[in-house]
Every structure is written in C-alpha cells, then in structure tokens.
Amino acid sequence: MTPEQITLVQDSFAKVAPISEQAATIFYDRLFEVAPAVKPMFPADMTEQRKKLMATLAVVVNGLGTLEAILPAASALAKRHVAYGAKPDHYPVVGSTLLWTLEKGLGEAWTPAVAAAWTAAYGTLSTYMISEAYGTAQAAE
C-alpha cells in the first residue's frame, strides 16, 4: 500500500467510526444475505460481535502505517477463525461485504481512489491471514 492509500483508508474510516454500530449492523445483515451459510458461525446475539468487528477494524486501520506491528494479531485472529469454521473462500465474500458497507456508509465520500485503497488494504491483510491460517498454497488460489 502506498502512503496515500493508507491515508485514504484512515480518513474514510474516521468518517465511518461515528456510525460504527450502524455500520456493523449493515455489514452483518449484508453478509448473512449474500452468504447465509456463514450465519451459524456467529452467535444469536450479535451485539458483542459487532463491537469486536469495529474494534478490530480500528486497530487494523490505525496500524496500516506500521503493518508489521499488527501482523502478529492478524495471524492469531486468522487462526482463531479456522476454529470457528472459516474457510479461505469466505475471505473474498467478507471483503466484498466490507467494501459494500463502506460504500453505503460513506456515500459521496466513497470515491474510486478510496475504493482502491480499501481493496488494497483488505487484499493485503486477507492474503496474509489466509497464508497464516491455511498455508501459502491456499493464499495463492
């Protein structure tokens, strides 16, 4: 990621943060709509899960400038997701759902440059997480 992309991700996330509860609800509603098979992996009461999502996104977004500092936590998160039933093919669905949610939340502030920056950020992190959880061969697929 370029420094400009990092700034775009961080600045756009700062605009979503005030509506984080609503954004998390929109995200999970959309995820369960496009990938209903993942719903059993989640608790019936999504309150804490929504908070965890936004807290994790905040840590990642704030750490993009020093990516090596957040990679150990990303690795641990990826390995925990295996135990929850996550598969490598879930990552693209989650990524597209995240981008869709950000587009809805940001409205006119969702520009092609912001979209490209978020795509790069998610791609970098998800490739790393898949590699950590399932091995390098899975990440390359």
Side-chain angles (χ1 to χ4, degrees):
M1 291 188 69
T2 68
E4 293 80 14
Q5 287 177 315
I6 291 169
T7 298
L8 285 171
V9 169
Q10 291 173 336
D11 289 352
S12 60
F13 187 73
K15 294 174 185 168
V16 173
I19 59 161
S20 63
E21 191 172 317
Q22 180 184 0
T25 298
I26 292 168
F27 171 83
Y28 283 112
D29 286 352
R30 177 68 173 180
L31 180 63
F32 298 153
E33 178 185 325
V34 298
V38 303
K39 190 167 185 173
M41 292 186 225
F42 294 90
D45 181 352
M46 291 291 292
T47 305
E48 284 304 310
Q49 184 64 38
R50 288 190 293 267
K51 289 177 186 175
K52 286 179 186 178
L53 170 69
M54 297 312 291
T56 301
L57 280 173
V59 168
V60 170
V61 167
N62 291 329
L64 285 176
T66 54
L67 197 55
E68 62 281 352
I70 62 171
L71 291 180
S75 175
L77 181 63
K79 291 170 184 171
R80 280 196 311 273
H81 277 85
V82 173
Y84 303 145
K87 305 275 186 250
D89 60 337
H90 291 139
Y91 282 78
V93 175
V94 168
S96 64
T97 301
L98 176 63
L99 296 177
W100 183 88
T101 302
L102 290 164
E103 181 178 4
K104 297 298 174 206
L106 289 168
E108 291 181 10
W110 182 255
T111 64
V114 170
W118 274 98
T119 300
Y122 186 80
T124 298
L125 197 61
S126 66
T127 299
Y128 175 78
M129 290 175 70
I130 291 168
S131 175
E132 288 293 294
Y134 307 100
T136 310
Q138 292 288 335
E141 291 179 2

